[in-house]
Amino acid sequence: MLIEGFENAPVVVGEELLALPGFWAAYLMWLSQTEGYDPVPEWFGVDGADADAAWDALSDEDRWPVFRIPFAGGHTVMVLGCNIPEDPGTEYFITHPGWGRHGHLTTVGGHHAGPGLSWRELHHIARTPDLDAPGVHAEHARLLLLLPTLGDQDMPADAADILGDALAHAGLPATEARGTAEALLVDHPLWEPAEWTPSGASPLSGGQDPLPFHGILHCDGPMSPRFGTRLAQGITREQSDRLAHALGTWPAA
């Protein structure tokens, strides 16, 4: 599978890996390893062997899995496992066939950068699949795949319930789903929660765009690829408006 910028990498479609019993343990367990929480595969309803097998598939240096999350307006979030020997990581970016380059959301790994999505954006993307495009369409799987990009200091009161329901749909035992959701949301291991605000007409602090387009949220987290710059460089005002609609943030509140 060819992806712009990764033409020489052994990228393969990864959606079939979602069926592995230990997939969610392998994909999310690190995210719940914060102060006061010591996660184990059993939280996800699997044993260590299942989690290890899924991790081996996710981290295969000869097969870099990409998970496609198509949403409104022809946009797709790509979740790419960059299984570089000695320096593995995961890249999250948005693509559109009309753009010249990707919109960078998040990097998880040795050179991490984030957060990449507010809860409002993440939840909206999860609920608005483009059923005509290939990729992951189940709402619970979309929400869980995007979860590592999250960093939002203004979380809604029902976030843990929503995440717990997604985990239960993914196969977690009902007795573990709510507690695991709370562990996943309590504190991101790589960055602090950020404030997300609508872009204004004045220059952003430290930004590169003198007149940012309205409608797409600005992140105040200095480690975020969305701090002081547009989500997708080089797009037109019309393309930005379509992206804002697709992210659920237009018109800006």
Side-chain angles (χ1 to χ4, degrees):
M1 181 178 182
L2 290 178
I3 296 179
E4 182 183 355
F6 298 90
E7 291 85 354
N8 296 322
V11 178
V12 297
V13 172
E15 284 95 40
E16 64 182 20
L17 300 183
L18 294 173
L20 294 175
F23 177 84
W24 294 114
Y27 185 77
L28 289 175
M29 199 159 62
W30 70 273
L31 191 58
S32 58
Q33 195 160 11
T34 56
E35 186 174 354
Y37 293 93
D38 188 16
V40 293
E42 285 72 18
W43 285 14
F44 296 84
V46 298
D47 59 23
D50 285 335
D52 289 345
W55 177 251
D56 288 343
L58 278 170
S59 58
D60 189 341
E61 295 175 0
D62 297 320
R63 294 174 61 84
W64 295 13
V66 62
F67 303 91
R68 300 162 295 177
I69 305 172
F71 61 111
H75 304 91
T76 300
V77 177
M78 298 282 197
V79 181
L80 175 62
C82 295
N83 297 329
I84 302 169
E86 308 301 327
D87 190 23
T90 305
E91 294 287 346
Y92 297 78
F93 48 88
I94 292 179
T95 66
H96 189 280
W99 296 356
R101 51 180 165 164
H102 306 320
H104 185 196
L105 288 176
T106 304
T107 298
V108 170
H111 305 284
H112 54 270
L117 289 172
S118 68
W119 173 265
R120 177 181 177 185
E121 296 166 326
L122 188 158
H123 193 208
H124 185 81
I125 292 171
R127 293 178 297 164
T128 54
D130 181 351
L131 299 178
D132 294 324
V136 180
H137 299 127
E139 180 178 338
H140 74 275
R142 293 161 65 88
L143 184 77
L144 296 176
L145 283 169
L146 292 172
L147 192 62
T149 69
L150 180 65
D152 194 333
Q153 67 181 30
D154 188 24
M155 295 288 288
D158 62 350
D161 291 331
I162 292 170
L163 181 56
D165 287 344
L167 291 167
H169 274 93
L172 268 71
T175 54
E176 302 289 351
R178 173 61 192 234
T180 302
E182 292 174 351
L184 288 165
L185 292 175
V186 68
D187 188 21
H188 199 290
L190 300 181
W191 47 75
E192 297 295 323
E195 181 179 7
W196 297 83
T197 54
S199 297
S202 60
L204 298 173
S205 174
Q208 301 173 11
D209 299 311
L211 292 174
F213 296 153
H214 294 274
I216 294 179
L217 301 181
H218 164 63
C219 178
D220 76 346
M223 293 175 57
S224 173
R226 298 180 61 183
F227 175 70
T229 190
R230 291 175 184 165
L231 173 52
Q233 295 293 298
I235 64 174
T236 66
R237 174 59 186 266
E238 182 180 0
Q239 290 170 327
S240 180
D241 288 350
R242 287 200 294 267
L243 176 58
H245 280 290
L247 291 171
T249 57
W250 181 270

